[in-house]
Amino acid sequence: MADPPSFRRHPHPFSIDLIRWLPSSSSSSSDRLLAAAVHDPAAPSSSHIHLLPLHDPSSPLATLPLPSRAASLRCSPSVLAAATSSGSLHLLPSSLDAAGSAVVSVPGGAGFHVGPVRGLDCGGGGGEEWVTAGQDGRVHVVGGGGDGRVVARRLWDGKGMAGYEAARWASAAEFATGGAGCGVQWWDRRKGDAVVAQCKGVWGRGIVTGMVHSIDIHPSRKHICVVGGSSGTIFAWDLRWPQQPIPFSGLGLNGTAQPVSESEVWEVLFDNYTQSTDIISSASTRILPVMMCSEDGILAVVEQDERPLELLAEPCAINSFDIDPENPSDVVCALEWESIGVLTRGRDTMAEE
């Protein structure tokens, strides 16, 4: 039997757009740190990254100003990265001790991105390269230039014909992107930095195509990605069957399929904490459980052909969430009404006996 989950809401003086766990060598929750992208609605030019202690997320330990509102926020084992609505990229050490170190930035503009960069992830080139994908239709790989500088190399320029909203590395040479008008694309740098597969997706309400907001790729099943998008859409894409996306819909009381949310699904992540109802094996075609958050305030775990497990139903949007990679029972989320939520899911007490 599992203990019931606990939820704590911490008011914050600013609106929180994005939130992430920072890597830590400590197992104590009192020493865990969070990174949050915040802005002041009363002062549109006031945008920052806050480093926050988990035990008191309302009191920043360090602050980094941004030239504009953050559009994406990612953390590697050593680097915290933020991309902005004006097209710039900012890299800083993810440890609090080094937070005062010089920030390395790539300015927005004609040579990089023009407009919001919502697709951002680290993992290429042995874990030292970042992929950026913007609403301007451009895709870049950003890495070290060997002399302390960072170099952005453009892989694609859609010239505004299609805008990107999400990006995720699958391996040192492969990554996925998604957005508006392009569905989900799979890139392989070994094949001329080209798109090698594409999926239009499965959209509800009779929509032919929709907006992709988030992509996640399971670390042990790199051929499968899960996608969250507009109109409550969540689907999986298996590269072994690229023309057969798998829709995620909850089951209603009468056994019919229905979406867990009716609005924008802002983020999706594979949930390593929730046990699948199916026996998990590397050869299984069943998609592993996925956590999602939405504009209509839902935080839930969804699974293929199963009823969703609703964790939160808030009266405001849940803009972002993150699962603690070191303790996946813990989840943080950014609530639109200026607060940070910390959810601790119950431990299985029977398993511990």
Side-chain angles (χ1 to χ4, degrees), residues 105-330:
S105 299
V106 181
F112 191 46
H113 286 284
V114 179
V117 182
R118 302 197 186 280
L120 174 66
D121 197 28
C122 180
E128 299 299 324
E129 290 183 321
W130 296 82
V131 59
T132 63
Q135 289 185 356
D136 55 3
R138 297 174 180 175
V139 177
H140 292 86
V141 169
V142 181
D147 53 1
R149 299 181 299 111
V150 292
V151 176
R153 187 166 67 88
R154 183 170 300 171
L155 303 187
W156 176 253
D157 187 353
K159 301 188 183 300
M161 297 300 292
Y164 293 104
E165 295 279 323
R168 184 71 91 180
W169 285 102
S171 68
E174 299 167 289
F175 62 90
T177 58
C182 57
V184 186
Q185 297 175 329
W186 193 270
W187 302 69
D188 193 332
R189 302 187 64 195
R190 298 165 298 189
K191 299 180 180 179
D193 292 326
V195 174
V196 295
Q198 186 162 345
C199 175
K200 291 184 178 180
V202 212
W203 306 90
R205 300 181 183 178
I207 300 173
V208 176
T209 184
M211 174 82 75
V212 172
H213 293 306
S214 178
I215 298 172
D216 194 26
I217 299 173
H218 198 278
S220 64
R221 296 185 179 183
K222 296 184 182 296
H223 56 280
I224 298 176
C225 63
V226 64
V227 178
S230 53
S231 302
T233 297
I234 304 173
F235 66 87
W237 184 35
D238 190 329
L239 286 176
R240 295 172 298 181
W241 300 283
Q243 302 307 316
Q244 301 176 28
I246 303 166
F248 269 64
S249 295
L251 293 179
L253 295 178
N254 59 358
T256 60
Q258 62 182 32
V260 64
S261 169
E262 297 288 344
S263 65
E264 308 300 295
V265 175
W266 291 127
E267 286 201 300
V268 289
L269 288 174
F270 280 106
D271 183 16
N272 294 329
Y273 178 78
T274 300
Q275 294 296 313
S276 173
T277 57
D278 192 18
I279 297 175
I280 298 176
S281 70
S282 59
S284 174
T285 59
R286 190 174 181 86
I287 308 301
L288 302 180
V290 172
M291 187 177 291
M292 53 76 68
C293 72
S294 67
E295 176 67 22
D296 54 1
I298 301 297
L299 181 73
V301 177
V302 295
E303 191 175 352
Q304 187 180 351
D305 300 326
E306 298 290 338
R307 291 179 182 174
L309 173 62
E310 189 174 278
L311 301 173
L312 294 175
E314 293 294 302
C316 63
I318 300 179
N319 294 328
S320 173
F321 78 94
D322 198 18
I323 301 172
D324 186 351
E326 299 168 26
N327 186 13
S329 64
D330 292 342

